[in-house]
Amino acid sequence: MTAQLNPRGDVAVLVPAAGAGVRLGPGRPKALRLLAGEPLLVHAVRRLAEARSVHTIVVAAPVAEVDAVRELLAPVAPVSVVPGGAERQESVAAALAAVPAGPEIILVHDAARALTPPSLVEAVAAAVRAGRPAVIPVLPVVDTIKEVDAGEVVLGTVDRSALRAVQTPQGFLRSVLTAAHAAAGDSLTDDAGLVEKQGVPVSCVSGSEYALKITRPFDLALAEHLLAGGG
């Protein structure tokens, strides 16, 4: 059954999904790798569509896969699909340009975070709605972190109390993200980084363990376990 987005919602979600995902091994583009029999992108879009504030979802797909992705997502939700770029930033910019008039909160979400719960989507959107121009979901860093030199010799132990692991979706006022991309020079893999370079404060909200990024075969196995009810 196709989910229906909220025509009165104030949120547009951009999903850059044109990356190859080489760390998952050879095969199809990363967003189209299978998790429990369905592409990561399908899992991600399904959860985004369940968030009550979402008005629009725009996916930037690999150029050669645009028609296939459009067909793949048609039964899931009414999603716009545009050709992505060679770099993530180009894909986000292409998706941003396709957002219709209306939504003033823009979220950018990685398809690789396929199990991200709708509640996290809403939490990020709510923080932007409350007046924060840029918002990222984060988790505390729990491992001990060492700084090392080029020869892998430890230089010291980093104070992890001030460190956070960043997730997506990242949320922005539309005007803020548009300006950041218009001013972008060097390509960055993190939209909050573009915004930071413009001097805009970036705030944090609590992330979710389920928003893990599926990057390696082990991550895929963990996600399969969680879907099977093991988490």
Side-chain angles (χ1 to χ4, degrees):
M1 181 178 178
T2 304
Q4 298 302 310
L5 304 183
N6 183 1
R8 297 181 181 177
D10 58 356
V11 174
V13 187
L14 316 180
V15 185
V22 293
R23 282 175 289 182
L24 266 180
R28 301 195 72 189
K30 182 177 183 178
L32 301 181
R33 304 293 180 92
L34 297 183
L35 168 62
E38 292 184 306
L40 296 177
L41 183 59
V42 168
H43 288 279
V45 167
R46 182 180 294 126
R47 286 161 176 76
L48 292 172
E50 291 175 3
R52 63 186 181 278
S53 297
V54 174
H55 175 282
T56 299
I57 300 173
V58 184
V59 173
V63 173
E65 303 275 1
V66 169
D67 289 339
V69 169
R70 190 174 287 123
E71 183 177 346
L72 176 71
L73 295 177
V76 182
V79 174
S80 298
V81 182
V82 300
E87 302 291 340
R88 184 182 187 279
Q89 184 178 318
E90 295 171 359
S91 293
V92 173
L96 181 59
V99 175
E104 292 301 323
I105 297 173
I106 307 293
L107 306 188
V108 184
H109 187 53
D110 293 334
R113 298 185 187 273
L115 302 186
T116 298
S119 57
L120 184 57
V121 176
E122 290 295 341
V124 173
V128 178
R129 195 178 295 120
R132 302 181 188 182
V135 177
I136 56 175
V138 301
L139 292 176
V141 174
V142 296
D143 291 325
T144 297
I145 305 296
K146 298 287 187 181
E147 181 184 4
V148 301
D149 64 16
E152 295 295 314
V153 175
V154 172
L155 298 176
T157 303
V158 179
D159 179 8
R160 67 187 180 197
S161 66
L163 300 179
R164 299 293 183 270
V166 179
Q167 301 179 319
T168 70
Q170 299 182 354
F172 310 91
L173 288 174
R174 184 172 186 161
S175 58
V176 167
L177 187 61
T178 299
H181 275 271
D186 296 336
S187 180
L188 292 179
T189 59
D190 177 75
D191 292 278
L194 288 179
V195 170
E196 289 168 29
K197 292 179 71 173
Q198 299 304 305
V200 177
V202 178
S203 302
C204 300
V205 297
S206 296
S208 168
E209 298 287 355
Y210 282 86
L212 74 157
K213 188 174 185 180
I214 299 171
T215 301
R216 305 157 300 168
F218 176 82
D219 305 324
L220 197 60
L222 176 57
E224 294 260 9
H225 179 67
L226 293 172
L227 275 177

